[in-house]
Amino acid sequence: MDTIASLFSFITYPVSWVIVQFHTLYGAIFGDDTGWAWGLSIVSLVVLIRICLIPLFVKQIKSTRNMQVLQPKMKAIQERYKSDKQRQSEEMMKLYKETGTNPLSSCLPILAQSPFFFALYHVLSAIASGKTIGVIDQPLLDSARQAHIFGAPLAAKFMDSPAKVEALGASLTDVRVVTAIMIVMMSASQFFTQRQLMTKNVDLTVKTPYMQQQKMLMYIFPLIFAVMGINFPVGVLVYWLTTNVWTMGQQMYVINQNPTPGSKAQNQYLERLLKSVTTHGEVRGRTRRNTVKRIVAKGSDRNDIERKFITGLAKLGLAAQEDGTVTKSDTALAEAEGGSAQKRQQPKRQTKAKRQSGTTQTGAAKETDSTESEAKTSLQKQDAPQDDKPKPAGKPASGSSRQAKSGQRRGPQRPKHPSKK
């Protein structure tokens, strides 16, 4: 760790300068040699860095959203080239290039923080060794070595020897208890941040390798920080715990205000938005109007959650407009009421015994009808008039010949007109 930290020694001067400036401010309130002054200086350093990284965080959100939009296409590529992994990777990279999406953008905030993190580690290691560094001169060095956070020196580590801890004016038990609690809190905050991202802000209807990767990171990152945390000074633990809490709060804000389409968070957000529109009769806030505007622009490409929201507005007699506002619409109300009134009612499903009994009854009814029709036909033949006169053997009767012809009626025929003979 010391070797890696030395690579970022070029940034130790600005980092130490920022810490000293905040220490001057908090020292006037809590005292120069207190842990509050030095601890809050490190917390303020984190806040300043994270504020400067907000543009990268916005870029991270856009990249994550693009990955969510591309998930159906990624799944299609995966299924199409499931037997050819090389072709699958080539098509994935081609898709990223065409859409301008970078899967590594989600790691930009962490990568950007790394130089400051290792620079702070280098500064605290120098304080623990009793060496001046950056703008921290000997008086500031003595003040930092006397600062304790809940009984643990700022530069002490979990794995330090009892002699080294005693040299810093503390006990090994206090150091290990404080560092263990901070390591657990650091790992728990990291796990919770990743978990709320996976359970609330991800469209789980589509499974892709990206989703599996994020799920693995949810368990791997906390373990990495837990193992590495035993070698971090207390000041670095304060830094990393603060940045994890900042990330967690920032992630919660994004999930509540700008959720991923198709996610559980979007369903909860649109339910709150519909409730607000029901109460006030309008869409309040620019962010909410932009959300409605995006939903209207999608048209037929809306997901089930967005269609449910539009239907909810229609039942209130409101219609979403292209500018993100809502207006009263009798047509929307009539369509919503008509759609609910004309719901198709599915017939009740019959049991197998009832279906078999119904089939048997139908067959018996058909047999009865056929028997009755045959009996009726035989009675008609018996009731037909018979010609009692004997017919000449050589010459068939005219009536018989006419009866033999198809399409002619039976019985005595009407005589022809004399002009037609």
Side-chain angles (χ1 to χ4, degrees), residues 315-358:
K315 290 182 178 179
L316 296 174
L318 301 173
Q321 304 300 314
E322 294 182 355
D323 59 352
T325 60
V326 293
T327 57
K328 291 188 177 294
S329 174
D330 297 334
T331 305
L333 179 60
E335 291 177 356
E337 292 178 349
S340 60
Q342 297 178 0
K343 288 183 179 179
R344 182 179 179 182
Q345 296 182 356
Q346 298 291 340
K348 294 183 178 180
R349 186 175 181 180
Q350 296 181 350
T351 60
K352 184 176 181 180
K354 288 184 178 181
R355 291 197 301 270
Q356 290 178 350
S357 62

Side-chain angles (χ1 to χ4, degrees), residues 59-77:
K59 189 173 183 179
Q60 176 191 14
I61 293 175
K62 291 181 179 180
S63 177
T64 305
R65 294 294 169 82
N66 290 338
M67 293 295 293
Q68 294 290 333
V69 173
L70 292 179
Q71 281 186 7
K73 296 181 179 180
M74 293 166 63
K75 184 179 180 180
I77 293 174

Side-chain angles (χ1 to χ4, degrees), residues 19 34 81 98 128 131 159 165 180-181 200 227 267 285 295 321 340 356 393 418:
I19 291 177
T34 60
Y81 303 104
E98 290 176 352
K131 300 177 181 178
M159 299 301 293
V165 173
I181 292 174
K200 291 185 177 182
V227 173
N267 186 29
I295 293 175
Q321 304 300 314
S340 60
Q356 290 178 350

Side-chain angles (χ1 to χ4, degrees), residues 188-204:
S189 59
Q190 178 70 33
F191 177 79
F192 182 77
T193 301
Q194 195 69 18
R195 178 176 173 79
Q196 73 173 350
L197 177 65
M198 292 297 300
T199 57
K200 291 185 177 182
N201 206 37
V202 171
D203 187 1
L204 297 176

Side-chain angles (χ1 to χ4, degrees), residues 1 117-118 121 124-125 154-160 175 179 183 186 224-238 240:
M1 182 65 72
F117 171 78
F118 289 112
Y121 182 90
L124 294 175
S125 297
L154 199 67
K157 306 176 187 177
F158 183 88
M159 299 301 293
D160 282 346
V175 171
T179 53
I183 290 171
M186 182 179 65
I224 292 175
F225 287 121
V227 173
M228 294 177 63
I230 60 177
N231 294 314
F232 289 166
V234 173
V236 174
L237 292 178
V238 171
W240 207 249

